[in-house]
Amino acid sequence: MATSIAVTSGKGGVGKTNTAVNLATTLCRLGKRVVLFDADFGLANAHVLLGVNPKTTTADFLAGKASMAETMTPAPLGLNFISGGSGLIELLNLDNQARYRMLSGISGLQSDIDYLIVDCPAGASDSTLFFVNAADIALVVLVAEPTSFLDAYALLKAAHLEKNISEFSIMVNMAENSKTAEANFKKFRDIAMRFLDVKLHYAGMIPQSTAVRQSIIKRKPISVSQPKSSLAENYESLARHLMKTPKSAHDAVKFFDGMSE
């Protein structure tokens, strides 16, 4: 049975898309069949980090010009990539009917997928909450800054109150070291659990590194260009942790729950 993981964050600029890309390619490196779905519609940029140039996007699927399988672009390490389309105005204000069509289209691919990684928009938009709700695991990317804490808390609150999601995995990005990353996670967990009836799980950390910035500039994910590096080990630790994370039990229409077109 395929597993879907929604990668999101309270605010932009915390490395959410880079995390989604490296998580997806790392799972491929671990022998899994993976699809990366860029759900940051209209502002999509995961293809830039992957170094690929999609010929078709979800806009083509919604317009009836391509099946969901036909929108997939081959990416490094055998990854299949579904583009959200960059600069496409028609994708910026999708309604739930269009989102459900996407769920249905992706559901039809499940026999060929072990993991679906969904790169969601930052913040608590309707689109973000929809796809986080539809995923088996919600991964929230956090950095040790007050604005990141505040916005991530707002995201958790909206997801919990509007969608009844009560379990989240938290990854600390751009961390000073593993000790401070765990300390920052515990600080955020204590704040969130003081006011919300939620459970937060520590999924791992990625240290601050110029190598990450260089990988973005070169359009080659760390897990592809430096698979033996300590950074790649951090991403592998994150991936292995999520592979063991139980699926959310909250009641919702999921990516892989028998839906089909």
Side-chain angles (χ1 to χ4, degrees), residues 10 30 34 41 67 69 85 87 107-108 113 151 157-158 184 220 231 259:
L30 294 174
V34 186
F41 304 121
S67 67
S107 177
I113 300 175
D151 291 344
K157 182 178 180 180
N184 280 304
K220 285 190 175 181
L231 276 172
M259 291 181 65

Side-chain angles (χ1 to χ4, degrees), residues 70-88:
E70 290 170 337
T71 68
M72 292 197 299
T73 299
L77 302 179
L79 175 68
N80 279 310
F81 174 64
I82 298 175
S83 172
S86 183
L88 300 177

Side-chain angles (χ1 to χ4, degrees), residues 51 72 75 79 84 96 105 119 126 130 132-133 179 187 215 227 255:
M72 292 197 299
L79 175 68
N96 272 353
D119 182 19
D126 289 345
F130 180 93
V132 169
N133 191 44
K179 185 177 180 179
K187 186 186 300 182
S215 74
F255 277 99

Side-chain angles (χ1 to χ4, degrees), residues 11-261:
K11 65 186 290 288
V14 301
K16 170 188 62 67
T17 296
N18 192 56
T19 298
V21 166
N22 276 285
L23 174 60
T25 49
T26 298
L27 285 166
C28 286
R29 196 158 54 81
L30 294 174
K32 304 301 180 182
R33 300 171 301 169
V34 186
V35 169
L36 173 61
F37 174 37
D38 193 340
D40 199 351
F41 304 121
L43 302 172
N45 58 16
H47 65 286
V48 177
L49 277 63
L50 281 168
V52 299
N53 296 298
K55 298 290 192 296
T56 55
T57 72
T58 48
D60 296 298
F61 169 76
L62 292 174
K65 297 177 181 177
S67 67
M68 190 60 80
E70 290 170 337
T71 68
M72 292 197 299
T73 299
L77 302 179
L79 175 68
N80 279 310
F81 174 64
I82 298 175
S83 172
S86 183
L88 300 177
I89 302 300
E90 64 267 30
L91 291 176
L92 289 175
N93 297 297
L94 295 178
D95 57 20
N96 272 353
Q97 182 179 4
R99 296 181 189 121
Y100 277 119
R101 283 186 61 200
M102 291 183 185
L103 255 65
S104 179
I106 290 175
S107 177
L109 307 174
Q110 66 178 307
S111 61
D112 298 315
I113 300 175
D114 295 317
Y115 286 92
L116 171 72
I117 307 302
V118 185
D119 182 19
C120 300
S125 68
D126 289 345
S127 190
T128 297
L129 296 180
F130 180 93
F131 288 114
V132 169
N133 191 44
D136 297 312
I137 298 169
L139 176 66
V140 179
V141 180
L142 190 73
V143 298
E145 297 174 1
T147 50
S148 178
F149 274 39
L150 183 64
D151 291 344
Y153 174 81
L155 169 62
L156 264 59
K157 182 178 180 180
H160 180 59
L161 296 181
E162 295 184 31
K163 302 296 184 181
N164 200 33
I165 303 171
S166 59
E167 296 203 31
F168 301 85
S169 291
I170 307 293
M171 192 275 277
V172 180
N173 201 24
M174 306 179 195
E176 186 178 333
N177 54 53
S178 58
K179 185 177 180 179
T180 57
E182 289 198 48
N184 280 304
F185 162 73
K186 290 176 181 176
K187 186 186 300 182
F188 179 72
R189 180 191 62 190
D190 291 346
I191 293 169
M193 293 180 68
R194 188 183 312 160
F195 300 105
L196 301 173
D197 185 19
V198 296
K199 293 181 180 178
L200 306 188
H201 309 286
Y202 182 59
M205 57 79 74
I206 304 296
Q208 178 75 27
S209 172
T210 56
V212 173
R213 181 173 293 277
Q214 287 299 315
S215 74
I216 295 170
I217 293 171
K218 294 178 180 177
R219 303 180 69 188
K220 285 190 175 181
I222 289 291
S223 50
V224 175
S225 62
Q226 302 178 40
K228 303 295 185 182
S229 66
S230 59
L231 276 172
E233 290 176 2
N234 289 123
Y235 283 117
E236 182 171 332
S237 177
L238 172 67
R240 290 190 181 280
H241 179 92
L242 292 169
M243 288 166 67
K244 297 176 184 176
T245 299
K247 295 181 178 182
S248 174
H250 77 281
D251 188 27
V253 177
K254 301 286 190 177
F255 277 99
F256 305 117
D257 64 353
M259 291 181 65
S260 61
E261 282 194 279

